[in-house]
Amino acid sequence: MNTDPDTLAAFRQEVSAWLEDNIPEDPGFLLPLTFMEVGTDEQLAFLVAWQRKVYEAGYLGMSWPQEYGGRGMPKVYQDIVDEELANHKAPIIFNTIGLGWAGPLILEMGTEAEKQKYIKGILTAEDIWCQGFSEPDHGSDLGNAQTRAVRDGDEYVINGSKIWTTHGPYGKYMILLARTNPEAKSKYAGLSFFLSPMQAPGITTSPIQKITGEYGFAQTFFDDARIPAECLMGEEGEGWKLAMRTLEYERSVEGGQATSYCLTSISSDDLIETCRSIQRDGKPLLEDPVVQDQLVQFILEEKNLQLNNTRGKLPDLCTDYPLSLMLSGKLEATELCRRMRQYAVSLQGAKGGLYIHDNDALDGAIWQHGYFNNFSATIGGGTSQVQTNIIAEHALGLPK
């Protein structure tokens, strides 16, 4: 399809007009700011219906192949849709683990049967996906996963536990990393990767209440759970390779996601408006020169992230450290959001202690809500500390 500027501008207008007519009204209950906060059946039903509506309009998975439910168009069209979703502050597209991680992995490395079985359901939200990587006793040491998968005829028997399972109670499928060979020459060689059903007997989930009060995470238990042997993706022992590729999609090091709109953006523009509404000594806080200086710093960092994203797609501008920009994007973005939201809360003084259900909270307590939830972003997908080590070792070549 044509990607000349006039065609893309017309498409942007089309998307904007559709959103103005179709963004649902306030449902009367708290909507998640990120895909990691879906904790009630009413939130789930609302977001499933919204994702399906966006998909049926042709605005989801636009660059995915037509034979699996996508539209087979250049990625720039999906980029425009995502930008307009953000501009219109639309509800999030929540099925992120399917749309952003499992789906691209299956399209790249899956069999034809796997593509036919899984991709369309990811796009329509008929099939919700969750991730079974982290374990209670091993933190960020993913290579030391101990959940066992033992082959028994045409099935694998799974025993163990996974933690921080986003969408676990609602998931139909899980991307699961499990140990099939505890005697392998290295801990990495003993791991295998499964596209596991969640409704199998022996698989249960227990929701985890977060500091925000909601239940966006869960712990998943496998007690002699039996799943079909065909759920194995690739070969036994290839789990580490597939998990690392999945993390590249999760951290946006690689493209191919059906959408990137999985969280509600709270930007420096929103912080500026908040500073207009806060009064100090009878004047808007925005007139304080110290506050102005900090706002400029946030604006510069935001612009830097945007420019780095563009620069990272131009190899000639990344010759010194080719991987540095893509590897650092997740770290820089999540830490910027954390500091910006923390700053917004601190500006509110005593009112910063008010929270979501308090009618006196500023801006509906969106800054408090966002600040608490941002910790899941600085931990999930690799903690900020782990990300810093990755950049040091793999981008800058520093010793371990």
Side-chain angles (χ1 to χ4, degrees), residues 1-14 77 80:
M1 189 170 180
N2 201 330
T3 58
D4 68 81
D6 290 341
T7 300
L8 295 179
F11 177 71
R12 185 181 293 276
Q13 291 180 345
E14 171 197 320
Y77 283 87
I80 289 172

Side-chain angles (χ1 to χ4, degrees), residues 32-213:
L33 295 177
T34 79
F35 72 98
M36 294 174 282
E37 301 170 41
V38 183
T40 68
D41 291 341
E42 59 184 2
Q43 288 177 332
L44 178 70
F46 178 93
L47 292 173
V48 166
W50 171 239
Q51 178 178 322
R52 188 166 296 148
K53 187 171 187 177
V54 175
Y55 172 71
E56 291 174 351
Y59 297 141
L60 185 61
M62 301 187 71
S63 65
W64 284 12
Q66 288 180 298
E67 58 266 36
Y68 308 121
R71 293 187 63 185
M73 298 172 68
K75 183 178 179 297
V76 65
Y77 283 87
Q78 189 65 57
D79 293 341
I80 289 172
V81 172
D82 293 347
E83 290 167 6
E84 289 304 311
L85 286 165
N87 291 339
H88 287 76
K89 296 192 179 298
I92 60 172
I93 308 297
F94 82 104
N95 196 14
T96 301
I97 297 168
L99 295 166
W101 311 346
L105 181 74
I106 294 168
L107 286 172
E108 179 191 6
M109 307 183 75
T111 64
E112 180 63 24
E114 288 167 341
K115 295 173 187 177
Q116 293 287 351
K117 180 177 181 178
Y118 298 116
I119 297 301
K120 180 70 176 292
I122 289 173
L123 290 168
T124 62
E126 179 181 355
D127 300 342
I128 300 168
W129 284 69
C130 58
Q131 182 186 42
F133 280 16
S134 297
E135 295 186 359
D137 296 328
H138 304 292
S140 295
D141 186 9
L142 183 58
N144 202 31
Q146 296 299 310
T147 295
R148 287 294 312 279
V150 178
R151 182 75 181 252
D152 182 20
D154 293 332
E155 297 178 315
Y156 279 93
V157 181
I158 315 293
N159 280 283
S161 177
K162 297 292 181 176
I163 196 101
W164 314 127
T165 314
T166 304
H167 300 166
Y170 307 115
K172 184 175 180 179
Y173 296 107
M174 169 186 278
I175 44 176
L176 171 65
L177 190 66
R179 189 163 299 280
T180 48
N181 182 6
E183 307 300 326
K185 60 183 179 180
S186 75
K187 62 182 181 181
Y188 306 108
L191 295 169
S192 298
F193 196 97
F194 298 88
L195 305 176
S196 171
M198 287 292 286
Q199 282 74 40
I203 301 178
T204 57
T205 60
S206 178
I208 299 172
Q209 187 176 27
K210 297 193 290 187
I211 193 172
T212 54

Side-chain angles (χ1 to χ4, degrees), residues 138-306:
H138 304 292
S140 295
D141 186 9
L142 183 58
N144 202 31
Q146 296 299 310
T147 295
R148 287 294 312 279
V150 178
R151 182 75 181 252
D152 182 20
D154 293 332
E155 297 178 315
Y156 279 93
V157 181
I158 315 293
N159 280 283
S161 177
K162 297 292 181 176
I163 196 101
W164 314 127
T165 314
T166 304
H167 300 166
Y170 307 115
K172 184 175 180 179
Y173 296 107
M174 169 186 278
I175 44 176
L176 171 65
L177 190 66
R179 189 163 299 280
T180 48
N181 182 6
E183 307 300 326
K185 60 183 179 180
S186 75
K187 62 182 181 181
Y188 306 108
L191 295 169
S192 298
F193 196 97
F194 298 88
L195 305 176
S196 171
M198 287 292 286
Q199 282 74 40
I203 301 178
T204 57
T205 60
S206 178
I208 299 172
Q209 187 176 27
K210 297 193 290 187
I211 193 172
T212 54
E214 43 86 7
Y215 294 82
F217 295 146
Q219 185 169 357
T220 304
F221 301 93
F222 300 85
D223 297 303
D224 289 331
R226 289 180 172 268
I227 64 174
E230 65 184 20
C231 294
L232 175 70
M233 188 174 185
E235 302 293 333
E236 282 196 7
E238 293 184 344
W240 184 253
K241 177 182 72 174
L242 292 167
M244 291 302 98
R245 193 60 172 166
T246 304
L247 290 179
E248 289 181 355
Y249 288 119
E250 181 177 350
R251 296 164 181 169
S252 300
V253 176
E254 286 292 332
Q257 295 81 0
T259 178
S260 62
Y261 188 66
C262 58
L263 55 87
T264 302
S265 175
I266 309 178
S267 67
S268 59
D269 288 339
D270 298 300
L271 182 53
I272 289 170
E273 290 306 310
T274 293
C275 290
R276 292 186 198 277
S277 65
I278 298 175
Q279 296 285 316
R280 182 173 293 170
D281 296 329
K283 296 180 180 180
L285 195 57
L286 188 60
E287 296 181 13
D288 186 315
V290 176
V291 172
Q292 291 175 353
D293 181 70
Q294 182 59 67
L295 290 174
V296 169
Q297 294 300 315
F298 286 136
I299 293 168
L300 289 173
E301 289 187 62
E302 273 189 355
K303 190 64 176 178
N304 178 65
L305 282 171
Q306 295 168 5

